[in-house]
Amino acid sequence: MAKRVTLKDIARAADVTTATVSYVINNTPGQSIAAETRERVLRAARELNYVPNSAARALRRRRSGCVGVVAKKNLAVPRFSQTIRGIQSRLEDVGYNLLLCTNKVKTTGMSDYLVAYLEGRVDGIIFLGKDNAGPSAASAAIIERDHVPLVTFDCAGNSRIYSTVDFDYRDGARLLTECVLEREPARILYVRPNIDTPQERDRARGLEDALDAHPATELEVVTTPITLENLDTWDLRYSVGATPEGDRLTAEFADTLRRAVAGLTRGDAVIASWSGWTEPIRYRCRERGILTAELANNGESNFYPDLYMRLPNFDAGVACADELLSLIDGKPSSARILHLTNVLDGTRGTYGPEPR
């Protein structure tokens, strides 16, 4: 096994002291190193294929240089992969690595991500919970006791012991619905999942907020067969593709939409709670002059609805990373709300306007 290159080896090759090499390699502030000397040290390090000892560096700094991300999600779903990419991008800017953790309870009785922190493998945690649920009560007690730097994303709840990042779904839904109402539809069909979460309740409230000023517009709500219990089956299409269970659920979903849009007429509108849900409606109604809109779109379809709210998933990941870095630096916890304002016109895309 080859001998590991040390700072002494670099110092010998560059004809400088070991301290000078340390100052250059670690970019130590307050040290005046001539540009020519700095370049000579760095050139010697490159030629010797020097790799810093991360364990020793972490011991000196009392930091691991790594952040844990709890992502009990299907990361093939565009929304979640976009968020993870935002986290990674921001962490890379400051030299942090990313470690995917789980929420599984270990033999110690603690969740995997908390064990990772207490063992010193990560300096903090970004928590993307399952079904928008945050840390358990038992985990929250440990987070508070051990002052664990932790940020939850899209878990719809404030906390005094960790930071939170959430979307303003209610105002985003209001804004998009107001854009739809500018087209003066006689009727709006609202398509939503069979899920009762704070996020879905906020979307429904935002829709109602906009409709309060348009009492003549009729609202009809259709609930799809998508539930928390079968959501993993629904999302499998993004990773493993078609499955028998997924095909059955998709057929039931399509049948629900088919029956719901049968009574719509020209000038009516459909607003879907989730991304991609108006695509089958456009396929069936493109000749009928029915407006389509989505409250949450992640850009995974080329066949955009007429109007849609593009979720800033990448920016949300960056915000989560920023909040965690702030906690790691000892700053107090906070609650950040990301406003949804990016209403886009899908008729201006590649395929042009739909026939009316």
Side-chain angles (χ1 to χ4, degrees), residues 189-207:
L189 177 70
Y190 179 45
V191 182
R192 57 164 297 161
N194 188 13
I195 292 175
D196 183 25
T197 61
Q199 291 84 351
E200 292 306 321
R201 290 195 292 272
D202 280 348
R203 284 175 174 140
R205 291 188 187 109
L207 192 83

Side-chain angles (χ1 to χ4, degrees), residues 52-75:
N53 187 323
S54 59
R57 178 174 289 184
L59 188 62
R60 288 195 303 272
R61 296 182 177 180
R62 296 188 178 182
R63 289 187 180 179
S64 67
C66 189
V67 163
V69 176
V70 181
K72 201 172 181 182
K73 307 276 193 180
N74 184 341
L75 297 185

Side-chain angles (χ1 to χ4, degrees), residues 71-152:
K72 201 172 181 182
K73 307 276 193 180
N74 184 341
L75 297 185
V77 177
R79 176 178 182 182
F80 306 134
S81 60
Q82 291 163 8
T83 303
I84 293 291
R85 182 65 190 116
I87 294 171
Q88 183 182 37
S89 175
R90 179 67 181 99
L91 292 177
E92 285 176 347
D93 289 343
V94 293
Y96 265 91
N97 294 314
L98 183 153
L99 175 69
L100 289 179
C101 301
T102 74
N103 196 19
K104 184 178 180 180
V105 176
K106 310 291 270 187
T107 55
T108 59
M110 287 188 290
S111 295
D112 169 68
Y113 66 92
L114 290 177
V115 174
Y117 174 78
L118 295 174
E119 288 180 347
R121 290 186 283 128
V122 298
D123 297 329
I125 304 291
I126 296 174
F127 190 98
L128 313 181
K130 175 74 170 176
D131 301 330
N132 308 109
S136 66
S139 294
I142 296 171
I143 293 166
E144 181 174 23
R145 183 195 71 194
D146 292 295
H147 307 289
V148 180
L150 183 138
V151 176
T152 65

Side-chain angles (χ1 to χ4, degrees), residues 66-353:
C66 189
V67 163
V69 176
V70 181
K72 201 172 181 182
K73 307 276 193 180
N74 184 341
L75 297 185
V77 177
R79 176 178 182 182
F80 306 134
S81 60
Q82 291 163 8
T83 303
I84 293 291
R85 182 65 190 116
I87 294 171
Q88 183 182 37
S89 175
R90 179 67 181 99
L91 292 177
E92 285 176 347
D93 289 343
V94 293
Y96 265 91
N97 294 314
L98 183 153
L99 175 69
L100 289 179
C101 301
T102 74
N103 196 19
K104 184 178 180 180
V105 176
K106 310 291 270 187
T107 55
T108 59
M110 287 188 290
S111 295
D112 169 68
Y113 66 92
L114 290 177
V115 174
Y117 174 78
L118 295 174
E119 288 180 347
R121 290 186 283 128
V122 298
D123 297 329
I125 304 291
I126 296 174
F127 190 98
L128 313 181
K130 175 74 170 176
D131 301 330
N132 308 109
S136 66
S139 294
I142 296 171
I143 293 166
E144 181 174 23
R145 183 195 71 194
D146 292 295
H147 307 289
V148 180
L150 183 138
V151 176
T152 65
F153 171 60
D154 202 24
C155 291
N158 294 329
S159 172
R160 62 181 177 79
I161 62 174
Y162 51 77
S163 291
T164 59
V165 176
D166 290 286
F167 287 141
D168 187 351
Y169 289 109
R170 181 170 182 170
D171 201 53
R174 177 197 59 77
L175 179 60
L176 179 73
T177 305
E178 286 178 347
C179 292
V180 170
L181 289 167
E182 289 176 1
R183 313 291 180 92
E184 300 182 344
R187 176 170 40 175
I188 289 179
L189 177 70
Y190 179 45
V191 182
R192 57 164 297 161
N194 188 13
I195 292 175
D196 183 25
T197 61
Q199 291 84 351
E200 292 306 321
R201 290 195 292 272
D202 280 348
R203 284 175 174 140
R205 291 188 187 109
L207 192 83
E208 293 163 359
D209 290 343
L211 284 167
D212 282 345
H214 297 79
T217 301
E218 178 185 349
L219 175 65
E220 181 181 346
V221 179
V222 58
T223 302
T224 70
I226 309 303
T227 67
L228 290 180
E229 288 70 31
N230 62 29
L231 185 55
D232 286 341
T233 299
W234 179 256
D235 284 342
L236 281 176
R237 70 190 64 214
Y238 293 105
S239 50
V240 303
T243 64
E245 297 83 0
D247 286 345
R248 284 192 290 270
L249 182 57
T250 299
E252 187 179 353
F253 172 83
D255 184 60
T256 299
L257 291 187
R258 183 165 50 248
R259 288 184 280 108
V261 302
L264 296 181
T265 59
R266 181 174 295 275
D268 288 340
V270 177
I271 298 179
S273 183
W274 287 13
S275 181
W277 280 13
T278 63
E279 190 168 323
I281 295 173
R282 291 188 72 186
Y283 174 76
R284 297 181 181 283
C285 303
R286 59 185 296 140
E287 304 292 343
R288 293 167 54 188
I290 295 171
L291 182 75
T292 56
E294 290 177 356
L295 297 180
N297 188 285
N298 306 301
E300 66 261 46
S301 172
N302 287 325
F303 298 94
Y304 294 111
D306 297 300
L307 295 168
Y308 60 97
M309 178 68 72
R310 181 68 184 268
L311 291 182
N313 299 315
F314 182 92
D315 293 340
V318 172
C320 287
D322 279 336
E323 290 298 321
L324 185 63
L325 292 170
S326 176
L327 291 177
I328 291 173
D329 285 339
K331 296 183 175 63
S333 61
S334 63
R336 184 186 293 199
I337 300 296
L338 302 181
H339 297 287
L340 302 179
T341 60
N342 197 18
V343 177
L344 300 177
D345 185 344
T347 64
R348 297 179 182 177
T350 303
Y351 297 95

